[in-house]
Structure formats: structure tokens, C-alpha cells
């Protein structure tokens, strides 16, 4: 005998369907969400964020703050026991805008190419000082000239020494504007032009020097970008494929010369706690940011990645499979790659991994520097430029002890990306770097004969960028989608489960009663003092015991509550 009615069957089917759907949705929802992301995030001509990507600054105002180190005792440089006194002045704040020009989409290989044009507008209200403030700084041109001739013949060095002694001193007094955008004339520039190597001929015809001279409004300095749009594979979103038309640079030895990492704006969705990499065109190299923990910005929780040991150190080991060599263009020969300084460092298991490279060595490019400074001499046409975090934060303490006036702290001087992990969207970015010049003794150049060796801080900048409250609230909505999906799936599954459970309980209780032997006992147990309940049980009892065949059962009342 089968105590089933059509209604039971329908309910059972509904319950089962809900349960299956709910459970399936629990697993499928993330897939669906990822599908939505892979449709929405890529950089395409019709992308919703295209305008924002094309030109930042109109919608998201970026402030770039510059701080200079004013050298107040240059006359004491050669006195033993005296350190340079540096007084931080600023901020000199600029509104910073970037726009991408000559944007060309290449659907055939899933990339987009463009140049970047940058603008700076001085903002006197947010500045502590004016562009006419005077600064005393190390004479970068003289240091660069001395550095350039140091491997020349002694005779030529002496000649340069005489010229330097006549036209230069070790420090310069210039206004902030001259040091940055307007630039200043100097006889050394003309001299330098004569000494310039032919390979440097592609640089603009400098007639003045300034850290940002000719940079305002120019597309020259950042070079040509070729970036994956993420259309083919969302895991490639925003990844640099080529820089200046090649996937390797001339500035470092293999494999440190590889163009890789994000172009800095987009990161593929689904972030984990692995390091992230972003290519820094100003430094001609990728930089690694290490996961440090979670943080919240505008109510959104993100993963925080900071510039640390792996980029700042002088020996950071990294797995770099030999097989990767085949992806490099012919400018880096595979041979070159195999000559890379592979580590002899033993792994935990006790054998050395042939694919582990000491990245510190290939970035040293000659003489190594202490932890905390990055040698960009090669990227700056031979001027001994070194990049660090402001105030030598996270650097070898020796560096800041060489001068007076540096006080690093994590809050003001770290460089980090805060990424929303599901979408990979940067919600808060603090880009901060300091520019230093290596001052060191040059025996044949009188001006520099007895100087101490100092990584001399010149200036640093800080740029905070992040989602506005507007963007943050759209992002929060988007992020609710997976949670809403998950919770609704769970609710659907639970409803289905409850329906099935109720059916099961009822079936079970009726099965017991349908047995003639047990029926009396069961009935006693079922019947309560409550009248309606008694009535209900009667019905059920009747229903199960008096339905001998299927045809009759169809119009029976299963649920007493429906009476
Ligand atoms: C920098 O130092 C010089 C001399 O020590 C001083 O004249 C000048 O005003 C200082 N600049 C600023 C911006 O404080
Ligand atoms: C402005 O600069 C002066 C000296 O350069 C400094 O003493 C002062 O603390 C600065 N103010 C702010 C708000 O940074
Ligand atoms: C940069 O260029 C823009 C437009 O040409 C100009 O308005 C702005 O003042 C310039 N900024 C500086 C710091 O020279
Ligand atoms: C993609 O194609 C364009 C146009 O042919 C080319 O310039 C670019 O270098 C290619 N990028 C890659 C990564 O192959
Ligand atoms: C920095 O890089 C240059 C050029 O690659 C190299 O000659 C020099 O030895 C490196 N290190 C230092 C400390 O200058
Ligand atoms: C690497 O950095 C450390 C700490 O600053 C320094 O002691 C060491 O000499 C550097 N290594 C090389 C090869 O210069």
C-alpha cells in the first residue's frame, strides 16, 4: 500500500527542486558573479569605466604633494664628524591629471596601446609655501658629470675637474619652480651634451635642468604602453605586455629586464594574499607589493599590499622558471637568461632549486646598494639616481644616519595599494617615493675629492588616490550581489529542505499507523487534549488507512489544516 497522494508528490517534487536549486545556486552564484565581472571589467571601447580610465583627474582629483629637503649647512660637508642638516619643506601641492592618448585597441591579441600625458597644476591653497621659495640642494648636475667621467682617462677627468671647479659648486640655490618645472640653465648642461653617448640621443634636447622640466603636458616620459584588456582572459586584466614596443627593457640584466605586472590601474579580480606586481615606467622596472593584511576604506574591506623587502632589498630570491625564457623577445637571448644569477640557496627540503633567481643581483647592475634604495642610474641616462621610500623608511638605518633631519614613519611614508579582493579594484592607493643622488668621492675631480659617500635625499612626493564616496557606494552595491545570491540560495535550499522534512515526518507517522497492529497504539500516542489536533489526526488516520487503491486516493484530503 502506498500512502501517497498527488499533492504529496507535487510537494515532494517542489521541495526537492528547491533544495537542489538552492544548493546548486550556492555553488553556481560565484561562477555567475565572476561571469558578470568578466563582462564588466575588461577595458573595451564600450566599457562603462572607459572615460574614467581614459582621463583621470576630472572625476577623481588627484593631489600630488612634494616635499623638498633644504640643505642648511653645505659649507660643512667636508668637515669630519659633521653631517648634512636637511630641513623638510612643503608640501608644494599640485593637482595631477593624466590622460591616455592615441588609444588603439587590438582585439586580435586582446591588448590596448596608448601614451600617457600628465599635467600638474599648482594648488597654492593646499601648499605650505610658494613656488618662489628658495632651496639649497646638492648640485645634481655636477655629481652627474663627475659620475659620468669617472671611468675616463685620468687626463680627461682632470680637465673636467678644472671645468667643474670653475663653473660649479657642490650645492645650488634655486627656487622650487626652477628645481621642478621651469628648470634652470647651467654650463654643465652644454658640456654634458658634448659628452653625451649616441645611444642617449633619443632623449629630448635639454637646455635646462629641472626634475620635471618638459614633463608637464608631455607624452614622452612615460613611454608607449601595450596592456592586456582582459577580454580574452580576465586574469590578464590591466597587465603590461609591452613597454616602448618591447617586452624587455635595456636597463637591467635578465630576468630583471622583463616588462611585467599591472599597468597600475587595474588588477585582475579574485585577489589572494600573494604579492602583486605593478610596472613603474619612471623606474623602468616592475615593483613588487607584499600582502600585509586587511584594511577598510569608505566601508569597503580590502587587501593591503605594501612596497617592502622584495623590491627594496638587494637579494630577494624569486622563482623564475627557465621555461619562461621562451616567452621573451629575441632582445633577451635565452643564453642571457641562463646566465642569470641563479641561486645556490638551499630550499627547506635541502636541495637547491634551479629556477630560483637572486633578483637583487640583476637589479644591482654593478655595485649593489644597501637595503632600501633602488638604483635607477641606467634608467636616468647615467645620472646616479636612487629611489627609496620617503625618509628612508624600511631602509638600512645607516642611510638615514648619514644625514640629520630624517624621521620615517609608516603612516606618512609607506607605499601601498588597497585592493577590493573580489573585483581587484584599487580602493585606496598611496604612492610615495623619494629621489636621492649618490654623492661619493671622485679622486680626480677636486670638487668631490674629500666628500663622504652619502645617498643624498633631494625630495619626495606623496600621491593618494582612491575611490570617491560615489564610486565606493556603487562598488558596495556590486559587492552585495554575491552575498545576496548566497543568502537567497541558502534560504531556497532551506525552504526545500523543510518541505521535504515535513513530508517525511508525515509519511513516517502515517506509515506507522497504516500498520493495523500498531494503529491503536499510534492513535493513542497521536491524540492530544487539543480537539483540533485530534480531528486532524483522525483525518490523517483515515486518509492513510482507508485508501486501498491509487484512484481513490487522488481526491483525499491530506492536510487536516486545510479543512
Ligand atoms: C632653505 O634654507 C635657506 C638657507 O638656509 C633659506 O634661506 C631658505 O629660506 C630655506 N627655504 C625654505 C623654503 O624654508
Ligand atoms: C609649513 O612649513 C613650516 C616650515 O617650512 C613648518 O614649520 C610648518 O610646520 C609647516 N606647516 C604645515 C601645516 O605643514
Ligand atoms: C602645466 O600645463 C598646464 C597646461 O598647459 C598649465 O595650465 C599649468 O600651469 C602647467 N603647470 C605647471 C606647474 O607649470
Ligand atoms: C598586439 O598587437 C598589436 C598590433 O599588431 C601590436 O602592436 C602589439 O605589440 C601586440 N601585443 C602583444 C602583446 O603581442
Ligand atoms: C647603479 O647602476 C649603475 C648603472 O647600471 C652601475 O654602474 C652602478 O655600479 C650601480 N650601483 C651604484 C651603487 O652606483
Ligand atoms: C645588501 O644590503 C645590506 C644591508 O643594507 C648590506 O649590508 C649589504 O652590503 C648589501 N649587499 C651588497 C652586495 O652590497
Amino acid at each position: 500500500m502506498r500512502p501517497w497522494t498527488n499533492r504529496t508528490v507535487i510537494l515532494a517534487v517542489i521541495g526537492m527542486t528547491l533544495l537542489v536549486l538552492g544548493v546548486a545556486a550556492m555553488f553556481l552564484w560565484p561562477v555567475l558573479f565572476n561571469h558578470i565581472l568578466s563582462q564588466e571589467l575588461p577595458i573595451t571601447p564600450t566599457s562603462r569605466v572607459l572615460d574614467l580610465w581614459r582621463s583621470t583627474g576630472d572625476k577623481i582629483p588627484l593631489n600630488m604633494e612634494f616635499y623638498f629637503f633644504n640643505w642648511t649647512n653645505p659649507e660643512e660637508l667636508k668637515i669630519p664628524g659633521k653631517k648634512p642638516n636637511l630641513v623638510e619643506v612643503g608640501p608644494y601641492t599640485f593637482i595631477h591629471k593624466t590622460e591616455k592618448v592615441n588609444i588603439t585597441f587590438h582585439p586580435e591579441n586582446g591588448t590596448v596601446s596608448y601614451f600617457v600625458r600628465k599635467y600638474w597644476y599648482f594648488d597654492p591653497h593646499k601648499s605650505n609655501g610658494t613656488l618662489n621659495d628658495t632651496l639649497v640642494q646638492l648640485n645634481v648636475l655636477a655629481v652627474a658629470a663627475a659620475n659620468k667621467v669617472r671611468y675616463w682617462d685620468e687626463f680627461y677627468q682632470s680637465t673636467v675637474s678644472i671645468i667643474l671647479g670653475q663653473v660649479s659648486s657642490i650645492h645650488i640655490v634655486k627656487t622650487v619652480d626652477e628645481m621642478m618645472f621651469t628648470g634652470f640653465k647651467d654650463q654643465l648642461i652644454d658640456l654634458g651634451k658634448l659628452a653625451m653617448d649616441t645611444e642617449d640621443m633619443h632623449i629630448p634636447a635639454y637646455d635646462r635642468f629641472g626634475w620635471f622640466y618638459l614633463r608637464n603636458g608631455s607624452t614622452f616620459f612615460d613611454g608607449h604602453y601595450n596592456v592586456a584588456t582582459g577580454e580574452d582572459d580576465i586574469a590578464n586584466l590591466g597587465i603590461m605586455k609591452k613597454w616602448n614596443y618591447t617586452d624587455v627593457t635595456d636597463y637591467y640584466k635578465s630576468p630583471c629586464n622583463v616588462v611585467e605586472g599591472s599597468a597600475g590601474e587595474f588588477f585582475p579580480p579574485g585577489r589572494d594574499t600573494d604579492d602583486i606586481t605593478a610596472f613603474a615606467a619612471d623606474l623602468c622596472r616592475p615593483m613588487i607589493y607584499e600582502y600585509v593584511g586587511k584594511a577598510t576604506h569608505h566601508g569597503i574591506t580590502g587587501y593591503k599590499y605594501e612596497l617592502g623587502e622584495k623590491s627594496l632589498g638587494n637579494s630577494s630570491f624569486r622563482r623564475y622558471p627557465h621555461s619562461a625564457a621562451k616567452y621573451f623577445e629575441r632582445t633577451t637571448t635565452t643564453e642571457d637568461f641562463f646566465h642569470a644569477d641563479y641561486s645556490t640557496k638551499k630550499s627547506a627540503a635541502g636541495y637547491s632549486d634551479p629556477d630560483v633567481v637572486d633578483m637583487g643581483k640583476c637589479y644591482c647592475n654593478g655595485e649593489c646598494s644597501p637595503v632600501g634604495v633602488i638604483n635607477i642610474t641606467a634608467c636616468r641616462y647615467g645620472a646616479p639616481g636612487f629611489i627609496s621610500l620617503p625618509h628612508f623608511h624600511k631602509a638600512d638605518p645607516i642611510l638615514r644616519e648619514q644625514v640629520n633631519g630624517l624621521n620615517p614613519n609608516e603612516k606618512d611614508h609607506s607605499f601601498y595599494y588597497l585592493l577590493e579582493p573580489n573585483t581587484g579594484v584599487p580602493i585606496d592607493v598611496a604612492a610615495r617615493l623619494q629621489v636621492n643622488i649618490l654623492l661619493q668621492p671622485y679622486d680626480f675631480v677636486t670638487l668631490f675629492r674629500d666628500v663622504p659617500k652619502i645617498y643624498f635625499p633631494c625630495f619626495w612626493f606623496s600621491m593618494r588616490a582612491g575611490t570617491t564616496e560615489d564610486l565606493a557606494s556603487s562598488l558596495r552595491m556590486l559587492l552585495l550581489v554575491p552575498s545576496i545570491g548566497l543568502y537567497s540560495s541558502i534560504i531556497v535550499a532551506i525552504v526545500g529542505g523543510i518541505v521535504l522534512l515535513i513530508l517525511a515526518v508525515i509519511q513516517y507517522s502515517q506509515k506507522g499507523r497504516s500498520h493495523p497492529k500498531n494503529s491503536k497504539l499510534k492513535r493513542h500516542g497521536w491524540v492530544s487534549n487539543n480537539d483540533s489536533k485530534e480531528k486532524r489526526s483522525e483525518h490523517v488516520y483515515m486518509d492513510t488507512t482507508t485508501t486501498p487503491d491509487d484512484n481513490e486516493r487522488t481526491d483525499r484530503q491530506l492536510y487536516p489544516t486545510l479543512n
Side-chain angles (χ1 to χ4, degrees):
M1 182 192 70
R2 290 170 54 199
W4 290 72
T5 62
N6 269 0
R7 231 179 267 254
T8 334
V9 172
I10 289 169
L11 277 167
V13 167
I14 290 176
M16 205 61 203
T17 312
L18 289 181
L19 184 64
V20 169
L21 275 184
V23 172
M26 264 185 251
F27 291 101
L28 286 179
W29 202 265
V31 177
L32 185 68
F33 182 65
N34 287 339
H35 180 72
I36 295 175
L37 290 184
S38 68
Q39 294 300 304
E40 290 295 322
L41 289 178
I43 314 158
T44 64
T46 55
S47 165
R48 251 174 255 229
V49 289
L50 190 73
D51 281 344
L52 205 61
W53 174 78
R54 197 201 306 267
S55 151
T56 64
D58 292 333
K59 293 191 189 70
I60 307 176
L62 286 182
N63 285 324
M64 199 163 174
E65 298 177 333
F66 291 87
Y67 296 84
F68 281 85
F69 291 107
N70 200 13
W71 184 14
T72 56
N73 62 343
E75 68 289 349
E76 293 183 328
L77 182 68
K78 292 183 179 177
I79 301 175
K82 293 280 188 183
K83 297 178 187 178
N85 285 328
L86 301 182
V87 178
E88 184 184 280
V89 293
Y92 300 94
T93 305
F94 291 80
I95 297 167
H96 184 43
K97 291 185 180 176
T98 63
E99 61 184 38
K100 298 182 174 67
V101 294
N102 290 10
I103 300 174
T104 315
F105 286 93
H106 307 293
E108 69 273 15
N109 58 14
T111 63
V112 58
S113 302
Y114 55 85
F115 287 97
V116 179
R117 176 171 285 147
K118 293 181 172 172
Y119 291 101
W120 286 265
Y121 303 87
F122 185 62
D123 185 347
H125 305 295
K126 289 189 175 142
S127 301
N128 182 18
T130 71
L131 292 180
N132 292 325
D133 289 355
T134 51
L135 298 170
V136 183
Q137 293 238 302
L138 181 67
N139 188 348
V140 183
L141 293 168
V143 176
N147 187 63
K148 201 143 200 170
V149 301
R150 68 175 156 158
Y151 298 119
W152 289 6
D153 193 287
E154 198 180 311
F155 169 75
Y156 288 112
Q157 289 204 39
S158 310
T159 312
V160 171
S161 169
I162 292 163
I163 298 170
L164 273 179
Q166 278 170 358
V167 304
S168 294
S169 84
I170 235 160
H171 70 282
I172 41 173
V173 183
K174 298 288 168 195
T175 65
V176 174
D177 196 33
E178 285 173 318
M179 284 309 291
M180 295 185 77
F181 290 97
T182 307
F184 55 87
K185 281 194 183 294
D186 194 295
Q187 280 164 282
L188 284 181
I189 295 170
D190 304 322
L191 194 73
K193 272 186 189 155
L194 296 175
M196 217 184 269
D197 310 335
T198 40
E199 60 174 15
D200 290 345
M201 287 320 263
H202 63 281
I203 67 172
Y206 280 96
D207 52 345
R208 305 166 81 89
F209 172 83
W211 290 110
F212 292 84
Y213 178 57
L214 298 180
R215 287 201 166 219
N216 189 24
S218 163
T219 59
F220 176 80
F221 294 87
D222 275 58
H224 183 262
Y225 287 73
N226 182 232
V227 172
T229 58
E231 243 182 321
D232 300 355
D233 180 358
I234 195 70
N236 282 332
L237 173 67
I239 303 280
M240 286 287 283
K241 289 295 181 187
K242 289 185 179 179
W243 182 57
N244 290 333
Y245 312 101
T246 146
D247 53 9
V248 286
T249 70
D250 301 333
Y251 305 109
Y252 301 98
K253 274 181 281 176
S254 175
C256 288
N257 60 344
V258 175
V259 173
E260 61 181 352
S262 162
E265 292 154 325
F266 289 93
F267 291 86
R271 294 291 87 209
D272 50 25
T273 56
D274 289 347
D275 305 334
I276 58 171
T277 307
F279 190 81
D282 276 329
L283 314 185
C284 311
R285 59 169 274 184
M287 301 279 266
I288 296 173
Y289 301 84
E290 299 157 52
Y291 177 77
V292 290
K294 289 180 183 169
T296 306
H297 184 76
H298 279 315
I300 303 173
T301 303
Y303 287 2
K304 192 172 181 181
Y305 303 85
E306 264 189 30
L307 193 65
E309 185 80 13
K310 285 189 185 165
S311 292
L312 297 170
N314 58 16
S315 75
S316 51
F317 292 86
R318 173 166 166 198
R319 261 191 70 82
Y320 228 118
H322 283 67
S323 59
K326 68 171 184 279
Y327 297 114
F328 304 152
E329 271 207 340
R330 58 188 185 297
T331 39
T332 313
T333 60
T334 316
E335 220 155 276
D336 207 13
F337 185 84
F338 285 111
H339 285 145
D341 203 330
Y342 283 95
S343 107
T344 48
K345 204 182 183 184
K346 298 262 194 293
S347 71
Y351 54 87
S352 56
D353 184 339
D355 283 348
V356 171
V357 193
D358 184 348
M359 300 300 279
K361 291 246 175 71
C362 61
Y363 280 126
C364 281
N365 243 0
E367 203 185 322
C368 275
S369 310
V371 168
V373 289
I374 290 170
N375 187 354
I376 59 161
T377 304
C379 172
R380 281 290 167 271
Y381 318 113
F386 292 80
I387 296 295
S388 67
L389 286 174
H391 290 239
F392 292 125
H393 180 44
K394 294 190 182 181
D396 191 329
I398 286 175
L399 292 167
R400 60 175 174 273
E401 283 159 12
Q402 290 177 322
V403 295
N404 293 322
L406 300 185
N407 290 299
N409 74 71
E410 171 71 16
K411 183 178 143 286
D412 298 319
H413 303 141
S414 64
F415 190 150
Y416 64 83
Y417 280 92
L418 185 65
L419 304 183
E420 196 291 308
N422 298 293
T423 56
V425 170
I427 46 182
D428 182 19
V429 181
R432 294 162 177 148
L433 292 173
Q434 176 172 305
V435 174
N436 313 280
I437 293 296
L438 177 60
L439 173 68
Q440 57 183 336
Y442 298 101
D443 288 344
F444 296 105
V445 182
T446 322
L447 194 59
F448 292 101
R449 190 163 292 157
D450 306 310
V451 302
K453 182 174 178 178
I454 299 176
Y455 289 87
F456 209 99
C458 297
F459 71 94
W460 64 277
F461 68 84
S462 170
M463 189 163 61
R464 271 297 274 282
T467 50
T468 54
E469 185 44 48
D470 246 21
L471 281 170
S473 73
S474 326
L475 192 59
R476 276 197 300 267
M477 295 286 274
L478 178 66
L479 292 173
L480 278 181
V481 171
S483 320
I484 291 174
L486 182 66
Y487 293 130
S488 4
S489 330
I490 291 175
I491 289 169
V492 167
I494 286 175
V495 168
I498 287 174
V499 169
L500 289 178
L501 195 70
I502 289 173
L503 285 178
V505 165
I506 290 168
Q507 291 300 326
Y508 176 74
S509 61
Q510 289 167 351
K511 227 181 206 156
R513 245 165 301 164
S514 66
H515 228 273
K517 259 197 268 176
N518 286 347
S519 64
K520 211 165 194 167
L521 198 91
K522 271 277 152 95
R523 197 173 171 185
H524 279 146
W526 186 259
V527 171
S528 75
N529 303 334
N530 189 314
D531 278 352
S532 67
K533 243 190 181 169
E534 190 172 359
K535 196 176 173 190
R536 192 188 308 163
S537 63
E538 285 309 336
H539 274 278
V540 174
Y541 182 74
M542 279 168 57
D543 185 48
T544 53
T545 51
T546 60
T547 48
D549 79 72
D550 288 15
N551 296 334
E552 223 182 312
R553 199 176 36 180
T554 53
D555 46 10
R556 284 298 165 105
Q557 185 80 44
L558 176 68
Y559 281 100
T561 43
L562 297 179
N563 284 357

